[in-house]
Amino acid sequence: MSSAGELPCYTLIHVPSDAELPSETQLREKFEKGGDKERTEALKKLIYMVLNGEKTSQTMLMYVIRFCLPSNDHTLKKTLLIFWECVPKTDSNGKLLHEMILVCDAYRKDLQHPNEFVRGSTLRFLCKLREPELLEPLMPAIRTCLEHRHSYVRRNAVCAIFTIYKNFEFLIPDAPELVTEYLETEQDASCKRNAFMMLLHVDQARALDYLSGCIDQVGSFGDILQLVIVELIYKVCHNNPNECARFIRCVYNLLQSQSPAVRYEAAGTLVTLTNAPAAVKAAASAYIDLIVKESDNNVKLIVLDRLVQLRNTSSNEKVLQGLVMDILRVLTSPGLEVRKKTLNLALDLVSSRNVEDMVMFLKKEINKTATESNDENGKYRQALVKTLHTATIKFPDVASSIIPVLMEFLSDSNETAASYVNEFVREAVHKLPNLKTAILASLREGIPSIQSPNIFMSALWILATYCDAEGSLEVLRLIKQSLGDLPLVDTELAEQDQPKQEEIEQKKVPSGPKVTADGTYATQTALSSTVVSKKNEKPPLRRFLLNGEFFLGASLATILAKLAQQFTELNGVGSERSNRFRAECMLILASIIHLAKSGLISHQVNEDDLDRMGAVIKIIAQGIPGLDEQYGDACKKSLELMLGAKSISRLDAADKLTTSGSARSKDFVEIDKTINFTQLLAKNNQQGENLYDSSLSQALGTAPKDTKFDFSSSKLGKVIQLAGFSDPIYAEAYVNVNQYDIVLDVLIVNQTSDTLQNVSLELATVGDLKLVDKPTPVTLAPNDFSNIKATVKVASTENGVIFSTISYDVRGSTSDRNCVYLQDIKIDIMDYIVPGNITDIEFRQMWSDFEWENKVNVMTPIRDLREFLNHLSTSTNMKVLTGDAAIEGECGFLAANLCAHSIFGEDALANVSVEKALPMDDSSPIVGHIRIRAKSQGMCLTLGDKLSSAMRSRRDGQPIAAPSA
């Protein structure tokens, strides 16, 4: 059902685009002279013609009645049911065709047919009829089918009675009593379900009476009947909350059902009807059990979302905190998305009472992942490290037990996980000064085993920044140990001159066959091994430099400058110890520079790195006071400011989530908010919105929107004029975007004084759009109008264009078919893009993984950098990832990262790098560029076009007026 105003569609038939439709003469010949198989094929062709809007004569209907209705072939009978469903049954005046009387008589005979398939399929067909004149003669036969021996016939008879009573109550006014009596004696589960479903919708009082009589046996019913019982209890309690106490025990019992679907619906109903802690705990336990036992990852994610919704209420959060360890059982699932969502949920719920148990559990999970090295397992390790990091900052008491576990990841081959550990160490030293000594000691022990050059230098930088003046000497010893013997070039050349050491060789020396004591032959083998001393591995920093990582040398220069400044402050300027310390620092840097210029390394060194090392040597030798302070205390203060700003931005993000309702909703009440008294509310508003009705309206796309009225978001704002006022046919379209499909509601108006026949809307799409069905042709009287609807499926996030024409015939005219070309309809990708939220590390990883890039030059009349960034974010639905602390102030330059997701699972990243052409002039234009990266080319190009148009328009969509000179 595409919209609320359309008749329901029960059957979808695919018409091949290359299908050749025969003429009426050919069809008549096949009906008259062909067998059952040929008649079935001809009937299918006739159905295609009817669906395409082809006009067929009344004689064709008689041929079908004469030659197809009497047949007993089941395939032909089933095809006939589809034919009678789609064929017009009334004439132009709305009166029933006389031929349909013959059809009605044939189906009365089929309702008395001895074959249960024929009876059941006929009853299913009667559910789709909307003509009471055809149904009235069949009512006695439908009643008789309730007593048939086969359950297939009985359950379809109940469905037919239900549909007829709902649409034409006068045909069977005693249907509720009839079905109630039938329900008391019926034993088949599917038949009982259909009967109970009918009572649920037409007579809830009788359904409640039946449920009250068998409430103790509900656990033994089939799952299909239990689902209907859950729906009945919800609807009754929703309309009359006083009934909750009567049926709440039944819902509790259904939590133990064998069917996962019943347990899921029962848990959702239970927490909707009551907020009692016992009910919330029972429902949450049922959800957790479903997640653990269900194998489908999509089902796991859906049930996890229900758990997250439970956590949104502050009263439920206290109950769920005791189930954290049960929630962590979900980590046994193989899906990465399920694991990440579970870790986030557990981290939000964990408290000081169970944080130690959670840490022990996560330690075991980390040990499990150590044996596997696939990509998904590496990402899972990253998530575990990130969770432990957050738990340590949140609960400092457990930091002492977590630190040794995290330090093991410094030597991990997964660089992202190791970088998380570095972030943890940096933040922990800043926020937990009482553990500073223990953390730095663990870091010193773990540095020699690090495999990645970037991680090694980051860890060494943290150690040098936070060590005290007395520890500077130990850090210098660690650096010298990581470098090996100095000078580097001389020792390397000496090693190359030595003869190469041989590896251990093992030789098998077979001897001849030997005779054992029992007379059998055996072969004796002697193992000869030559033991040689194995070549020692190079120290890590030396190995990195020999591999051409000379940026480490530039970073090491900064570290040595810090250490020299700290050590000089402790021992005094010009003392022998401080001079010796500075001399060793200069020797290390001079050795690295000599190695870079010696030609031993195949990689070419960057001149910037050489300049940095040379400048630091001069600073260490001469001691420039201003720069010494910058390398020392000023650098540390800047780092602490950054970490503090990060914590504040994290809290702000949490507050925004709370106020938007997507995170925990605290019991805050706004000033002057209306107070609702339950006793004074209308009955239909006491329990909120009906979940079954709201979910159905959301699925159909008819759910009302609670947004403030805005012309751009109303229907009038989405109307596109397709034809001109002087065209014979005027057309305009309302474009309704509903997630993965687009519904075009086209209004066509006949502006001529002629009757237009076969008015057809022809559609063609460009892009990743697919037309679902072909619109049915209509006939327009003079100055008449009509609505034509078409559905287009969307498969990816890229711009799409729908081309359309209207073709028609003029009644009484002998001219060719006329045509009106319509305006193109452009589909806006903003309907499919939502703001994304990722960390800086994830952004850098995705930026390197995405292969498509689009660079857009900035040309905008906006003069303020911050206003320009906010305008881009609002126009493109992209979230600014860079914190406010990093982009505040006026410096004439701005760089920020943005991210967005699409409903198709695609990600898009953007990097904005802009500056004022004249920094001192407020009216100077903004120059720079925006780089967009995405996994697909279509999204990358489409988002670039959207950014280009957004730069030239205001937030209300109107062009920006260029400022006057």
Side-chain angles (χ1 to χ4, degrees):
M1 188 185 295
S2 59
S3 69
E6 287 186 330
L7 290 177
C9 175
Y10 301 99
T11 309
L12 296 176
I13 300 175
H14 171 63
V15 182
S17 58
D18 57 347
E20 296 183 3
L21 300 180
S23 63
E24 288 193 11
T25 306
Q26 293 172 333
L27 289 176
R28 289 172 189 162
E29 185 177 355
K30 287 187 178 181
F31 284 141
E32 187 173 0
K33 299 180 180 179
D36 287 337
K37 189 173 182 181
E38 288 77 9
R39 288 171 181 168
T40 303
E41 291 299 322
L43 192 59
K44 288 181 180 179
K45 299 287 186 182
L46 184 57
I47 292 173
Y48 290 161
M49 293 171 65
V50 173
L51 292 179
N52 283 338
E54 299 288 340
K55 298 295 183 182
T56 56
S57 62
Q58 295 295 332
T59 56
M60 184 61 64
L61 193 62
M62 286 304 301
Y63 268 80
V64 174
I65 293 173
R66 285 175 56 196
F67 299 107
C68 296
L69 270 184
S71 174
N72 289 321
D73 183 71
H74 288 182
T75 305
L76 182 55
K77 281 184 173 294
K78 187 174 181 180
T79 310
L80 270 172
L81 296 177
I82 300 174
F83 174 73
W84 294 123
E85 179 185 344
C86 62
V87 74
K89 305 173 189 63
T90 56
D91 56 16
S92 57
N93 298 322
K95 293 184 179 180
L96 193 70
L97 295 174
H98 297 296
E99 291 84 355
M100 298 309 296
I101 298 175
L102 301 174
V103 178
C104 180
D105 183 65
Y107 283 115
R108 184 180 58 79
K109 294 178 182 178
D110 284 344
L111 288 175
Q112 300 168 352
H113 200 282
N115 185 281
E116 60 271 8
F117 170 77
V118 175
R119 280 201 187 196
S121 56
T122 306
L123 287 165
R124 287 175 65 87
F125 163 71
L126 296 180
C127 295
K128 309 169 187 178
L129 283 183
R130 293 293 180 269
E131 289 78 21
E133 299 91 343
L134 289 176
L135 292 170
E136 187 174 5
L138 304 177
M139 295 311 302
I142 296 174
R143 288 173 177 264
T144 308
C145 289
L146 283 176
E147 302 171 1
H148 194 271
R149 59 181 176 80
H150 204 282
S151 61
Y152 177 72
V153 177
R154 296 199 302 273
R155 68 169 174 262
N156 283 301
V158 174
C159 288
I161 291 174
F162 176 28
T163 309
I164 294 171
Y165 179 79
K166 187 170 63 174
N167 296 324
F168 313 106
E169 185 177 345
F170 63 90
L171 292 180
I172 182 168
D174 62 335
E177 296 87 349
L178 180 66
V179 173
T180 303
E181 295 175 3
Y182 165 78
L183 188 59
E184 297 289 345
T185 58
E186 181 58 58
Q187 300 299 323
D188 183 75
S190 61
C191 297
K192 291 173 73 173
R193 181 257 181 197
N194 287 2
F196 193 79
M197 175 69 78
M198 174 182 169
L199 292 181
L200 165 65
H201 288 91
V202 301
D203 196 341
Q204 285 191 3
R206 292 181 183 275
L208 286 176
D209 292 341
Y210 173 78
L211 180 59
S212 301
C214 59
I215 197 166
D216 295 332
Q217 290 87 32
V218 168
S220 61
F221 290 165
D223 55 347
I224 55 176
L225 182 56
Q226 287 177 343
L227 286 171
V228 184
I229 289 174
V230 171
E231 182 180 353
L232 172 68
I233 293 174
Y234 174 80
K235 289 187 173 181
V236 170
C237 297
H238 181 270
N239 295 328
N240 186 9
N242 296 327
E243 296 284 350
C244 287
R246 181 180 171 190
F247 296 107
I248 203 79
R249 178 55 55 188
C250 179
V251 181
Y252 265 108
N253 294 335
L254 288 176
L255 288 177
Q256 311 302 323
S257 173
Q258 299 297 321
S259 168
V262 174
R263 295 203 300 275
Y264 175 78
E265 293 294 343
T269 301
L270 188 61
V271 295
T272 307
L273 301 181
T274 177
N275 291 326
V280 174
K281 186 174 182 180
S285 300
Y287 282 145
I288 295 169
D289 190 57
L290 281 173
I291 300 170
V292 173
K293 293 183 178 178
E294 187 60 41
S295 58
D296 190 347
N297 276 345
N298 294 323
V299 176
K300 291 177 185 287
L301 290 171
I302 291 172
V303 182
L304 265 174
D305 288 337
R306 297 302 294 267
L307 272 177
V308 173
Q309 290 175 7
L310 276 182
R311 187 256 302 170
N312 289 346
T313 307
S314 57
S315 58
N316 293 346
E317 185 179 356
K318 297 176 183 177
V319 179
L320 293 176
Q321 283 178 352
L323 299 174
V324 169
M325 298 310 297
D326 292 330
I327 293 174
L328 289 175
R329 288 165 46 206
V330 182
L331 292 178
T332 56
S333 304
L336 181 62
E337 288 299 321
V338 175
R339 287 172 164 177
K340 284 184 176 180
K341 188 170 283 191
T342 304
L343 288 173
N344 291 335
L345 178 61
L347 193 58
D348 288 340
L349 293 174
V350 69
S351 62
S352 56
R353 292 175 296 174
N354 48 23
V355 64
E356 292 186 2
D357 295 333
M358 187 184 84
V359 168
M360 294 300 296
F361 186 89
L362 295 182
K363 281 183 182 179
K364 294 178 182 178
E365 288 295 310
I366 287 176
N367 293 333
K368 289 179 186 176
T369 62
T371 57
E372 301 177 10
S373 59
N374 56 359
D375 183 50
E376 187 167 319
N377 207 53
K379 293 180 180 178
Y380 180 43
R381 282 205 300 276
Q382 296 171 23
L384 288 172
V385 172
K386 192 175 179 181
T387 305
L388 286 174
H389 170 197
T390 311
T392 307
I393 302 302
K394 195 175 179 181
F395 302 98
D397 296 340
V398 297
S400 56
S401 60
I402 295 179
I403 288 170
V405 180
L406 291 180
M407 288 303 175
E408 295 177 4
F409 278 90
L410 282 175
S411 58
D412 195 90
S413 57
N414 190 329
E415 188 171 333
T416 310
S419 64
Y420 278 135
V421 177
N422 269 341
E423 283 191 6
F424 157 73
V425 170
R426 187 180 65 186
E427 193 168 359
V429 173
H430 170 66
K431 290 190 173 181
L432 308 174
N434 57 324
L435 296 175
K436 174 181 173 182
T437 306
I439 294 174
L440 294 181
S442 301
L443 189 60
R444 273 197 299 269
E445 294 175 3
I447 279 181
S449 60
I450 295 177
Q451 304 296 321
S452 168
N454 294 330
I455 303 301
F456 180 90
M457 193 47 60
S458 298
L460 196 60
W461 189 89
I462 294 171
L463 192 61
T465 301
Y466 283 101
C467 72
D468 51 13
E470 296 178 355
S472 301
L473 195 57
E474 295 183 11
V475 178
L476 182 63
R477 291 196 187 110
L478 180 62
I479 294 173
K480 292 174 66 177
Q481 180 185 348
S482 301
L483 274 173
D485 297 335
L486 295 176
L488 295 174
V489 175
D490 296 344
T491 52
E492 284 298 316
L493 291 175
E495 285 184 10
Q496 290 180 5
D497 291 339
Q498 292 178 359
K500 293 184 179 179
Q501 298 175 340
E502 297 180 357
E503 296 181 352
I504 300 177
E505 296 180 357
Q506 293 183 345
K507 295 181 180 179
K508 290 184 179 179
V509 183
S511 61
K514 304 291 182 183
V515 181
T516 59
D518 58 355
T520 59
Y521 287 96
T523 302
Q524 185 175 4
T525 303
L527 184 63
S528 167
S529 59
T530 307
V531 181
V532 222
S533 61
K534 195 175 178 182
K535 185 178 180 179
N536 292 328
E537 261 190 43
K538 295 184 184 296
L541 186 52
R542 190 189 195 98
R543 185 172 70 250
F544 298 147
L545 291 172
L546 290 174
N547 289 335
E549 299 284 349
F550 281 102
F551 179 71
L552 300 185
S555 302
L556 184 62
T558 306
I559 293 171
L560 292 175
K562 289 175 188 269
L563 296 176
Q565 193 261 348
Q566 290 178 358
F567 196 80
T568 302
E569 286 182 357
L570 178 66
N571 295 277
V573 180
S575 65
E576 183 181 353
R577 291 193 67 196
S578 61
N579 287 341
R580 188 182 300 127
F581 190 95
R582 287 174 175 267
E584 290 189 3
C585 293
M586 289 189 287
L587 174 62
I588 292 172
L589 294 178
S591 298
I592 296 175
I593 294 175
H594 187 198
L595 177 65
K597 295 183 176 181
S598 64
L600 289 175
I601 311 301
S602 57
H603 301 330
Q604 189 174 2
V605 66
N606 191 342
E607 291 296 330
D608 292 339
D609 297 337
L610 288 177
D611 292 344
R612 168 61 67 91
M613 289 185 280
V616 170
I617 288 178
K618 292 179 181 178
I619 292 171
I620 294 175
Q622 299 174 4
I624 303 173
L627 288 179
D628 282 347
E629 291 177 3
Q630 294 299 322
Y631 277 105
D633 294 337
C635 182
K636 191 172 181 179
K637 288 177 183 177
S638 299
L639 174 62
E640 290 176 351
L641 282 174
M642 187 198 75
L643 293 176
K646 241 182 170 181
S647 302
I648 293 173
S649 62
R650 197 180 297 135
L651 291 173
D652 290 343
D655 290 341
K656 287 178 184 176
L657 285 175
T658 302
T659 55
S660 65
S662 58
R664 285 186 294 265
S665 57
K666 301 294 183 181
D667 296 329
F668 295 143
V669 180
E670 297 292 336
I671 300 173
D672 296 334
K673 185 178 180 182
T674 305
I675 300 175
N676 294 325
F677 293 93
T678 309
Q679 291 83 356
L680 303 179
L681 284 176
K683 284 187 177 181
N684 56 355
N685 288 333
Q686 288 185 4
Q687 295 292 317
E689 191 178 7
N690 189 316
L691 292 181
Y692 287 91
D693 295 342
S694 62
S695 61
L696 179 61
S697 60
Q698 287 173 5
L700 296 175
T702 58
K705 295 182 179 179
D706 296 332
T707 56
K708 243 177 127 180
F709 176 79
D710 180 18
F711 179 79
S712 62
S713 62
S714 68
K715 277 194 172 187
L716 293 177
K718 297 181 180 179
V719 172
I720 302 172
Q721 183 177 345
L722 302 180
F725 294 110
S726 60
D727 288 323
I729 295 180
Y730 171 77
E732 62 183 23
Y734 165 63
V735 182
N736 181 24
V737 179
N738 182 23
Q739 272 201 330
Y740 301 104
D741 60 350
I742 300 170
V743 179
L744 299 178
D745 188 353
V746 183
L747 170 68
I748 56 175
V749 181
N750 180 7
Q751 302 193 110
T752 67
S753 56
D754 299 321
T755 299
L756 305 182
Q757 295 178 329
N758 293 332
V759 180
S760 302
L761 177 65
E762 304 289 342
L763 299 173
T765 60
V766 174
D768 215 344
L769 304 175
K770 182 180 179 182
L771 187 64
V772 175
D773 50 2
K774 183 179 180 180
T776 305
V778 296
T779 300
L780 292 178
N783 300 316
D784 193 9
F785 66 90
S786 179
N787 284 74
I788 300 177
K789 294 192 176 182
T791 304
V792 179
K793 286 291 180 185
V794 186
S796 68
T797 311
E798 61 178 86
N799 281 336
V801 182
I802 302 175
F803 301 100
S804 54
T805 59
I806 292 179
S807 56
Y808 61 93
D809 295 327
V810 180
R811 176 180 288 182
S813 174
T814 58
S815 62
D816 295 335
R817 194 164 173 80
N818 301 286
C819 185
V820 176
Y821 294 94
L822 304 179
Q823 176 71 25
D824 303 339
I825 302 174
K826 295 181 174 60
I827 305 303
D828 190 1
I829 66 165
M830 289 301 105
D831 294 315
Y832 308 104
I833 289 182
V834 294
N837 189 16
I838 56 176
T839 63
D840 291 341
I841 295 177
E842 292 171 341
F843 182 91
R844 286 193 290 270
Q845 183 65 37
M846 293 167 65
W847 187 267
S848 61
D849 291 343
F850 289 169
E851 53 188 8
W852 292 100
E853 179 174 318
N854 187 9
K855 187 174 180 180
V856 180
N857 292 323
V858 173
M859 295 180 62
T860 176
I862 300 177
R863 295 296 181 257
D864 185 73
L865 294 174
R866 191 68 182 273
E867 181 187 350
F868 174 69
L869 179 64
N870 294 335
H871 174 59
L872 287 183
S873 175
T874 307
S875 304
T876 59
N877 288 348
M878 300 188 80
K879 181 180 178 182
V880 180
L881 301 178
T882 309
D884 291 338
I887 56 179
E888 66 181 2
E890 295 293 338
C891 63
F893 177 83
L894 187 144
N897 296 329
L898 298 92
C899 176
H901 302 307
S902 75
I903 62 174
F904 305 102
E906 301 169 305
D907 297 309
L909 307 177
N911 173 260
V912 180
S913 180
V914 291
E915 63 179 343
K916 302 281 285 184
L918 299 173
M920 305 304 294
D921 186 4
D922 294 337
S923 61
S924 65
I926 297 175
V927 296
H929 58 267
I930 303 171
R931 295 167 64 196
I932 306 162
R933 285 201 181 183
K935 187 172 287 187
S936 63
Q937 182 186 18
M939 187 170 186
C940 194
L941 295 175
T942 302
L943 203 54
D945 295 340
K946 185 65 182 177
L947 280 170
S948 299
S949 61
M951 285 189 289
R952 297 188 296 268
S953 63
R954 284 200 308 267
R955 295 184 185 180
D956 56 3
Q958 299 299 324
I960 299 179
S964 58

